Amino acid sequence: MTAPNTPISRSITKSILSREQSEGVGARVRRSIGRPELRNHDPFLMLDEFSHEDFAGHKGTIGPGDLQWMTAGRGIVHSEMPVKSQTRAHGLQLWINLPKEHKMCEPQYQELLDGQIPRATPKDGVVVKVIAGESHGVKSQVYTRTSTMYLDFNMDKNKTITQTIPSTYTGFLSMLKGTAFIGDKEFEGKAHHTLTLSEDGARTVKIQTKDDDAHFVFIAGEPLKDPIVQHCPFVMNSSEEIFDTFVDYQNNKNGFERARNWRSTIA
């Protein structure tokens, strides 16, 4: 039974297996958000768990746990959390929608080394990397135009914690390793599954481990409730805006590529 005055936890409403598929040379991707079972989860458009063989020596790579966060005009926020070993990369790729009023904003780019990402340690055996938002009094320096919390949890076995969440946010957990039990009903979340949180206004999420350690990300954000029209890398609010976006792209008027002779310095 729940003790008196204990906050009611959000529950899990859906569990989606991130099925592995090939994408590019040597790349393997497990997609959850963006699949037919979960086309999007406002404000989130796509979530990929990826791995890549023969990663060492690629230009532009960053180190274990480092973070790159890029806000792109024309409708998307793109973040990457690569974890790099000598010959294999593993990480997450998240796309977040932008509010209508910000879809034409100038591109922005943020990069943090792993040592610059603040950690919360709510108890022994629990470490939370606060990539965006706040956890247990620790705040991130990453700026997001769409209000977002992005927390990377590592929990030893036999631990229980509670994570707060704004009452209006939608959210999910993406299980990377091990098993965790979510909510008062202890929904079992297993590796490579994405678990969507109930949208009942509860302000806490109870998370516990039992016989296994667990590694997962806790991601939540303010839903935009805007129409979504998505085609290739562009996300707008109408088909007409998508057409205009492609015209701008072809004429080098948007994104980092607005200069006709622009070339990446790291590719």
Side-chain angles (χ1 to χ4, degrees):
M1 296 180 59
T2 302
N5 301 320
T6 299
I8 297 175
S9 170
R10 291 204 193 188
S11 58
I12 298 301
T13 59
K14 185 181 292 187
S15 176
I16 300 98
L17 173 62
S18 304
R19 298 184 184 278
E20 191 174 44
Q21 63 191 50
S22 177
E23 187 159 313
V25 178
R28 304 292 297 175
V29 169
R30 291 181 180 270
R31 179 166 297 163
S32 53
I33 300 176
R35 292 179 55 82
E37 303 95 313
L38 190 62
R39 187 67 184 90
N40 53 65
H41 191 52
D42 187 17
F44 307 105
L45 301 170
M46 185 179 294
L47 179 69
D48 284 349
E49 179 186 351
F50 67 88
S51 60
H52 196 292
E53 300 292 347
D54 193 24
F55 194 70
H58 284 209
K59 294 182 179 179
T61 61
I62 56 181
D66 296 347
L67 170 71
Q68 294 177 320
W69 192 290
M70 179 175 68
T71 302
R74 292 295 190 182
I76 53 175
V77 175
H78 173 203
S79 74
E80 295 182 351
M81 278 202 311
V83 179
K84 186 179 71 171
S85 63
Q86 184 175 2
T87 60
R88 184 179 179 88
H90 182 265
L92 292 177
Q93 186 180 61
L94 173 69
W95 284 24
I96 310 173
N97 202 3
L98 283 174
K100 180 178 177 64
E101 62 271 22
H102 293 314
K103 287 196 184 298
M104 301 298 291
C105 68
E106 286 296 307
Q108 293 182 328
Y109 177 83
Q110 299 173 71
E111 178 172 317
L112 295 176
L113 299 179
D114 181 63
Q116 297 173 309
I117 299 173
R119 269 78 162 168
T121 52
K123 60 174 57 177
D124 289 342
V126 179
V127 178
V128 186
K129 289 186 180 182
V130 186
I131 294 166
E134 181 176 355
S135 180
H136 296 87
V138 178
K139 295 182 179 181
S140 168
Q141 60 181 295
V142 169
Y143 167 72
T144 62
R145 290 183 182 272
T146 300
S147 298
T148 306
M149 55 192 303
Y150 192 145
L151 311 173
D152 185 321
F153 280 79
N154 274 283
M155 295 179 61
D156 291 348
K157 62 184 179 180
N158 298 317
K159 301 293 180 182
T160 301
I161 61 164
T162 298
Q163 174 61 48
T164 59
I165 178 175
S167 62
T168 57
Y169 276 22
T170 58
F172 62 91
L173 279 71
S174 179
M175 300 297 303
L176 302 176
K177 183 180 179 181
T179 303
F181 297 84
I182 317 302
D184 296 324
K185 295 182 179 180
E186 299 186 6
F187 186 97
E188 185 176 7
K190 297 181 179 180
H192 308 305
H193 284 72
T194 292
L195 317 174
T196 60
L197 296 171
S198 59
E199 298 174 26
D200 50 17
R203 297 175 180 268
T204 64
V205 180
K206 179 183 175 184
I207 308 169
Q208 59 180 314
T209 54
K210 295 183 179 180
D211 298 329
D212 298 322
D213 299 344
H215 181 203
F216 57 90
V217 292
F218 181 116
I219 298 175
E222 188 71 52
L224 303 179
K225 301 179 181 179
D226 290 337
I228 296 174
V229 180
Q230 186 172 354
H231 191 75
C232 297
F234 301 114
V235 180
M236 301 300 287
N237 300 121
S238 70
S239 298
E240 292 77 13
E241 290 174 344
I242 287 289
F243 177 81
D244 292 341
T245 298
F246 271 96
V247 171
D248 285 350
Y249 176 76
Q250 290 166 355
N251 290 300
N252 307 104
K253 291 183 178 179
N254 60 6
F256 292 103
E257 301 85 359
R258 65 166 53 91
R260 184 172 298 276
N261 297 318
W262 181 88
R263 294 290 183 275
S264 170
T265 60
I266 64 174

